Amino acid sequence: MSNSILKVNNLRKKYSEFTLKDVSFELPRGYIMGLIGPNGAGKSTTIKLIMNLLKSNGGEVEIFGLNYKNNEEEIKNRIGYVGEEQIFYEDMSVAWTEKFISQYYKKWDKEYFNSLLSKFKVSKTKKIKELSKGMKVKLGIALALARHPELLILDEPTSGLDPVIRKEILDILLEVIQDENKSVLFSSHITEDIEKIADYVTYIINGKIVLSQEKENILTNWKKISLKKNLVDQEIKRLMIGIEENYFGITGITKNYSKIKNIFSLKNINDGIKISNATLDEILISLVREEE
Amino acid sequence: MLYIIFKEFSQSKKMILLSLIFGSLFIVALTSGTEENLMVGRFVLMIAFMVVMTNEHNEDKNKGYSLMRTLPLKQYKIVIGKFTASFILILLGGLYTFIIIKIKSMSTGLSTDMVTTIINSVSTTLLFIGIFYILLYKFGSGIAINISRVVFFIVFFSPGLMNIINEKFNFDIPFMSMITEINIFNSIVLFVVSIVFYQLCMLVSMKFFRNFQNV
């Protein structure tokens, strides 16, 4: 991938009960990347390391071709970050929060911020503690967008929100990406959201990147296959992952569909097979099963 | 960094106002007798204790340091901002005490003892707050605030306690004479030493702050 806005190279973080193992991926300019994984897979740790909120045990993060060692202020000035938890001073008002945060950003757009607040129906005079969870996420997004970031990093922003607000937030992200110079890194365990908006998908399971590709490639190459019991053989089983056995046969997914197709044609098998495109959710479940 | 200082004062507006009102009453009450009461200088320690502890409790409750770390701001500037805000607060506390006493003693005039008491209190408070921030960034706000509460009461009542021990038991506390011997030269030396110490505390705090994570 050339023209990468974000490069993560062999990033490591060790905790007593969890380790992020050599995470590497790249996000090109102008695209949305979805970081998918189950709870506790390491999505938030990866994002916090990218944001330099945690100290890594190794590896490198390069954003806009710069590293944090000498360019922390410059990098953070060009990033819009919305964390998994909306951290604000609860006793202060929305207006105070804007005033405090805006002072740090060179490109702060007060008018745009006000227009976003009106759109989201968030009152500036309200105290943060008076806002609902969804309102706080919207405020977080407005604060992140009003600085006109080149890279927007969102850590599970839609988690725990109702479908109406989730859709509104996804629509905003799609609006943002209309500007081809902007990129979005978006983590979620709700694959439906990622499927709607992402161009690239990265699966992270047990602190390890298990798959990172263009979404269209993943959805085209990964197939869900159901086979009748009498057709199952070890060769086919070896090419499938996340295999679930039941009374009628097996169901699993594969990225080696062409190989399985060859086996079927060699063995002259036409009946008892059901093939469909795998969803991001099914791929996630199968990859998790495989890891376990 | 400047914005951190503004933030500190803006967040603690009510607490500062409350401390000033309470402080005025405290100073006036202590100076209403015929003899000078050198306890008045403790107001500086009191206002710094109340405002800094409340602010740090709020930072902990709201994960304020996590928010500040997401901003385009070098981490050491957060520490400098905090130390500078506290320094300004302590100096203002000293100045406020001075003004109140000055107004109160318009007719009699302000004694040198009273001035040195205020300077000594500013110095003691600088030492106290400097150590508090080291504890905060090393052990977290819970431990730091609890230790500071104990230290605050010891420091606040120490002159009285030492006098009681001295008079009642006729027991010579080491260095007591040096502490109670008030003169302007000693006070200025102590003030300079406390500023240097405060800056050293700031450097140590910067080191600890790198590992201080509440994200």
Side-chain angles (χ1 to χ4, degrees):
Chain A
M1 278 181 214
S2 60
N3 194 21
S4 293
I5 203 162
L6 167 69
K7 269 188 198 175
V8 176
N9 218 347
N10 295 322
L11 207 53
R12 285 191 302 277
K13 177 75 188 170
K14 207 169 163 45
Y15 290 110
S16 53
E17 286 172 8
F18 170 78
T19 307
L20 195 74
K21 303 155 197 140
D22 297 314
V23 165
S24 303
F25 62 87
E26 284 185 33
L27 173 61
R29 201 172 271 273
Y31 291 93
I32 299 183
M33 176 180 275
L35 198 57
I36 304 181
N39 291 330
K43 301 185 295 293
S44 295
T45 305
T46 306
I47 285 182
K48 280 174 185 164
L49 288 168
I50 291 172
M51 280 302 297
N52 203 27
L53 300 177
L54 293 177
K55 253 169 119 178
S56 71
N57 298 116
E60 288 158 10
V61 175
E62 204 181 283
I63 307 176
F64 317 116
L66 305 167
N67 60 36
Y68 273 111
K69 204 175 174 187
N70 306 313
N71 309 287
E72 179 154 9
E73 283 171 303
E74 155 97 31
I75 291 173
K76 286 189 176 170
N77 227 311
R78 294 159 70 184
I79 294 181
Y81 169 70
V82 182
E84 59 180 332
E85 195 185 345
Q86 300 313 310
I87 298 171
F88 300 115
Y89 292 103
E90 295 280 323
D91 295 324
M92 307 315 279
S93 67
V94 172
W96 184 92
T97 307
E98 187 232 344
K99 199 177 164 199
F100 171 57
I101 291 179
S102 65
Q103 289 160 330
Y104 293 95
Y105 294 92
K106 291 173 193 161
K107 290 187 198 166
W108 188 264
D109 189 337
K110 200 176 174 65
E111 275 178 35
Y112 183 44
F113 177 75
N114 289 339
S115 73
L116 285 169
L117 283 195
S118 317
K119 192 175 170 184
F120 295 154
K121 297 182 182 70
V122 177
S123 163
K124 269 186 116 172
T125 53
K126 271 195 174 177
K127 283 192 174 179
I128 301 290
K129 64 183 172 194
E130 292 165 356
L131 302 178
S132 66
K133 191 184 174 194
M135 288 293 184
K136 280 184 193 168
V137 175
K138 286 177 179 177
L139 172 63
I141 290 177
L143 287 166
L145 293 178
R147 60 191 83 155
H148 292 295
E150 289 168 54
L151 173 62
L152 193 58
I153 298 179
L154 307 156
D155 190 3
E156 309 220 28
T158 54
S159 150
L161 299 180
D162 67 62
V164 181
I165 298 177
R166 262 172 57 203
K167 183 163 185 323
E168 276 178 35
I169 289 169
L170 295 180
D171 288 343
I172 294 158
L173 295 184
L174 285 172
E175 221 172 88
V176 169
I177 213 69
Q178 297 306 311
D179 179 345
E180 288 182 358
N181 272 322
K182 289 181 179 170
S183 302
V184 180
L185 177 67
F186 174 41
S187 89
S188 181
H189 59 266
I190 308 168
T191 51
E192 195 189 328
D193 293 344
I194 305 248
E195 203 152 345
K196 272 183 199 155
I197 63 163
D199 303 295
Y200 286 85
V201 175
T202 297
Y203 281 94
I204 183 164
I205 294 166
N206 282 338
K208 208 166 69 183
I209 299 280
V210 289
L211 180 64
S212 185
Q213 267 180 28
E214 272 185 61
K215 183 183 78 186
E216 288 313 313
N217 277 349
I218 292 176
L219 292 176
T220 316
N221 296 335
W222 288 76
K223 303 282 182 195
K224 183 181 175 187
I225 299 179
S226 299
L227 286 177
K228 271 191 177 172
K229 233 175 196 171
N230 59 325
L231 302 175
V232 179
D233 69 20
Q234 285 309 312
E235 205 183 347
I236 294 175
K237 262 186 159 179
R238 262 201 304 276
L239 293 167
M240 290 167 73
I241 64 162
I243 295 170
E244 217 177 341
E245 291 193 42
N246 54 41
Y247 182 76
F248 301 100
I250 62 163
T251 301
I253 64 157
T254 182
K255 58 176 176 178
N256 300 303
Y257 175 58
S258 53
K259 284 183 189 166
I260 292 179
K261 210 171 149 187
N262 284 340
I263 296 170
F264 288 154
S265 57
L266 280 171
K267 290 185 176 176
N268 236 345
I269 301 168
N270 294 314
D271 287 336
I273 316 157
K274 204 176 145 196
I275 297 154
S276 58
N277 284 335
T279 61
L280 293 180
D281 215 14
E282 285 165 342
I283 297 170
L284 174 66
I285 292 165
S286 301
L287 288 170
V288 170
R289 248 186 231 148
E290 202 61 17
E291 277 294 313
E292 281 166 358
Chain B
M1 192 190 81
L2 206 61
Y3 305 129
I4 300 279
I5 300 169
F6 287 140
K7 176 191 89 69
E8 292 293 296
F9 281 98
S10 151
Q11 279 182 308
S12 50
K13 262 188 304 199
K14 280 182 192 164
M15 181 53 82
I16 292 173
L17 198 67
L18 191 76
S19 305
L20 292 181
I21 295 167
F22 183 67
S24 311
L25 299 174
F26 176 78
I27 296 165
V28 169
L30 285 179
T31 52
S32 58
T34 46
E35 274 188 46
E36 284 177 331
N37 193 327
L38 303 181
M39 277 288 279
V40 288
R42 290 293 175 272
F43 168 69
V44 184
L45 181 65
M46 202 167 67
I47 189 173
F49 178 78
M50 284 165 80
V51 174
V52 174
M53 298 304 135
T54 310
N55 275 354
E56 290 311 320
H57 172 72
N58 284 336
E59 294 289 8
D60 186 51
K61 191 178 83 182
N62 297 301
K63 297 189 178 175
Y65 284 105
S66 300
L67 173 67
M68 284 187 265
R69 278 172 194 271
T70 65
L71 299 172
L73 182 66
K74 282 195 175 126
Q75 295 194 2
Y76 70 86
K77 288 185 182 172
I78 299 173
V79 179
I80 296 178
K82 286 275 180 182
F83 268 82
T84 312
S86 300
F87 184 71
I88 294 168
L89 179 77
I90 294 165
L91 289 188
L92 288 177
L95 190 67
Y96 184 76
T97 314
F98 179 80
I99 291 168
I100 297 280
I101 297 172
K102 183 88 183 152
I103 295 168
K104 182 84 192 4
S105 54
M106 280 270 212
S107 53
T108 54
L110 194 65
S111 73
T112 321
D113 280 0
M114 204 53 107
V115 176
T116 51
T117 299
I118 297 168
I119 298 173
N120 287 350
S121 295
V122 169
S123 308
T124 315
T125 310
L126 284 172
L127 302 177
F128 176 76
I129 296 295
I131 294 169
F132 166 74
Y133 276 117
I134 293 180
L135 293 173
L136 174 74
Y137 298 135
K138 177 73 183 165
F139 302 109
S141 72
I143 293 175
I145 291 175
N146 283 335
I147 293 175
S148 300
R149 275 182 192 141
V150 175
V151 175
F152 170 78
F153 284 109
I154 292 171
V155 174
F156 197 87
F157 295 109
S158 58
L161 282 174
M162 283 196 282
N163 274 336
I164 291 168
I165 294 169
N166 218 2
E167 281 171 17
K168 215 154 185 149
F169 304 104
N170 206 14
F171 173 70
D172 266 342
I173 296 170
F175 309 112
M176 182 69 183
S177 57
M178 213 179 95
I179 297 165
T180 50
E181 194 183 309
I182 300 168
N183 71 56
I184 196 85
F185 177 75
N186 281 358
S187 295
I188 291 169
V189 170
L190 180 64
F191 182 61
V192 173
V193 170
S194 64
I195 288 179
V196 174
F197 182 80
Y198 191 69
Q199 289 185 336
L200 286 174
C201 288
M202 188 168 75
L203 293 174
V204 176
S205 296
M206 281 178 197
K207 192 177 180 309
F208 288 142
F209 189 72
R210 275 182 240 152
N211 296 319
F212 173 67
Q213 285 167 343
N214 58 344
V215 281

